[in-house]
Amino acid sequence: MPDLGAYSFFVLASYGMTILVLLGLCILTVSQYRSAKRKLAKFNEN
Amino acid sequence: MATRFWKFANPHHFGKLVTASTPALWSLSFLFLMTGLLWGFLFTPDDFRQGSTVKIIFVHVPSALMAINCWLMMLVSSIIWMVRRHRISILAAKAAAPVGLSFTLVALISGGLWGQPMWGTFWAWDPRLTSFLILFLHYITYQLIWIYIADKESAANISSLVCLVGSVFALLSRYAVNLWNQGLHQGATLSLDQETNIHNSYYIPLVICILGFVLLFITLVLVRTRTEIIHNQIELMEKQRRKQNA
């Protein structure tokens, strides 16, 4: 862990927020894709 | 080349392309992002003036760059929709909007977190910051159009117009630092027409981070477009069934 000095909050907050937003977007994208595929498969079954 | 490109405008071919390419794209995005962010965070030196806050460059610059380029991609897709009425193009623009919105949000927040210790304020009505905020509001408007306008055809037309108007602010965000010398925001970090760029110790991890963001953007847009196509397919099939039952 590098010594971030007096600015540690700003650096860690920017990295944490970025990772959180990108991870959330990836999870949302994959879950929406999977649910759409399930819906299509169900529709084709009926 | 053009014929090859238009081949993927067919939903079937597009689906095949997404299925075949996404595993590799996910892995590459993850690899580049992890390498760039870890390199930038752990192994780059502090700046003599900005101290450790310079490390914010590795999340702020790629996200800002992609926020603008995402809008330009949406603009191209919207123009294709307006000229050729090709459904996949407008679905691609619709799919890209939440990705661009997220990148804009990351750029705005990380910019504020960088600005506070360096400028003494989270926000200033500087040309670049203001044009970026307007771009962010355009992203929200674009999303709201698709959520609240039930008729898909009208939503596609209106959102394309919003995209055209918003592109002015996307370009302004890109060139604001060159057009106006006033304001707190520094000049462009990376430039093709500049002889001197940032030092190599920052340049290499920054380029890796940018590549990671580009790859992640491509992956997310491909998967989201495929999702939109599936929803569109289901809607059409439901309509057909209703007609048959009537």
Side-chain angles (χ1 to χ4, degrees):
Chain A
M1 179 82 178
D3 178 23
L4 302 171
Y7 305 128
S8 55
F9 166 76
F10 300 102
V11 179
L12 290 175
S14 60
Y15 272 75
M17 176 272 305
T18 305
I19 290 167
L20 218 68
V21 171
L22 294 186
L23 210 64
L25 186 67
C26 290
I27 292 168
L28 189 76
T29 301
V30 172
S31 70
Q32 282 176 341
Y33 177 59
R34 284 185 178 166
S35 99
K37 268 180 93 176
R38 267 200 303 270
K39 206 173 163 187
L40 182 69
K42 245 186 193 175
F43 200 87
N44 284 331
E45 270 175 28
N46 296 326
Chain B
M1 179 74 184
T3 336
R4 266 190 169 186
F5 175 77
W6 286 111
K7 193 180 99 173
F8 294 111
N10 175 315
H12 178 68
H13 289 301
F14 186 82
K16 269 187 170 177
L17 169 81
V18 173
T19 315
S21 61
T22 41
L25 280 170
W26 278 121
S27 315
L28 279 173
S29 327
F30 183 74
L31 186 75
F32 274 88
L33 276 174
M34 286 303 285
T35 310
L37 290 176
L38 284 176
W39 185 343
F41 184 73
L42 296 172
F43 305 116
T44 51
D46 286 357
D47 182 68
F48 78 100
R49 205 178 287 164
Q50 302 192 33
S52 62
T53 59
V54 74
K55 292 175 193 290
I56 299 175
I57 201 173
F58 303 108
V59 291
H60 179 70
V61 171
S63 55
L65 199 76
M66 287 319 293
I68 297 167
N69 287 325
C70 176
W71 192 271
L72 297 180
M73 174 253 150
M74 285 162 62
L75 173 70
V76 173
S77 298
S78 299
I79 291 172
I80 293 175
W81 163 255
M82 287 191 281
V83 176
R84 293 188 66 147
R85 310 303 283 180
H86 208 291
R87 193 149 289 277
I88 289 186
S89 67
I90 198 66
L91 291 179
K94 185 189 173 191
V99 184
L101 180 70
S102 308
F103 285 150
T104 316
L105 187 71
V106 168
L108 281 172
I109 299 175
S110 60
L113 286 165
W114 199 354
Q116 174 60 32
M118 291 301 106
W119 303 336
T121 177
F122 277 103
W123 181 262
W125 295 102
D126 157 290
R128 188 164 217 181
L129 273 70
T130 310
S131 54
F132 222 85
L133 180 69
I134 298 172
L135 180 66
F136 179 69
L137 295 175
H138 271 88
Y139 269 118
I140 292 178
T141 313
Y142 190 93
Q143 283 290 100
L144 291 176
I145 289 168
W146 279 105
I147 293 169
Y148 288 108
I149 297 180
D151 179 35
K152 295 277 158 64
E153 201 81 3
S154 310
N157 292 333
I158 298 168
S159 65
S160 299
L161 281 176
V162 169
C163 211
L164 271 178
V165 177
S167 59
V168 175
F169 294 97
L171 289 171
L172 267 182
S173 312
R174 171 68 185 85
Y175 294 106
V177 283
N178 305 336
L179 294 172
W180 292 284
N181 286 325
Q182 65 205 49
L184 288 170
H185 202 284
Q186 65 172 63
T189 306
L190 296 172
S191 177
L192 293 174
D193 52 10
Q194 256 180 6
E195 280 184 12
T196 50
N197 252 319
I198 54 169
H199 191 266
N200 263 353
S201 54
Y202 301 110
Y203 183 78
I204 298 165
L206 181 59
V207 169
I208 295 172
C209 277
I210 292 172
L211 282 173
F213 270 75
V214 171
L215 284 165
L216 185 68
F217 169 74
I218 294 170
T219 316
L220 288 169
V221 172
L222 282 178
V223 176
R224 294 187 76 89
T225 309
R226 179 82 185 112
T227 310
E228 291 296 336
I229 292 170
I230 294 172
H231 281 307
N232 206 46
Q233 253 178 305
I234 295 170
E235 223 169 84
L236 286 173
M237 283 156 79
E238 273 175 346
K239 264 187 196 171
Q240 267 181 342
R241 275 196 191 171
R242 255 183 264 136
K243 260 188 190 174
Q244 281 171 354
N245 292 339

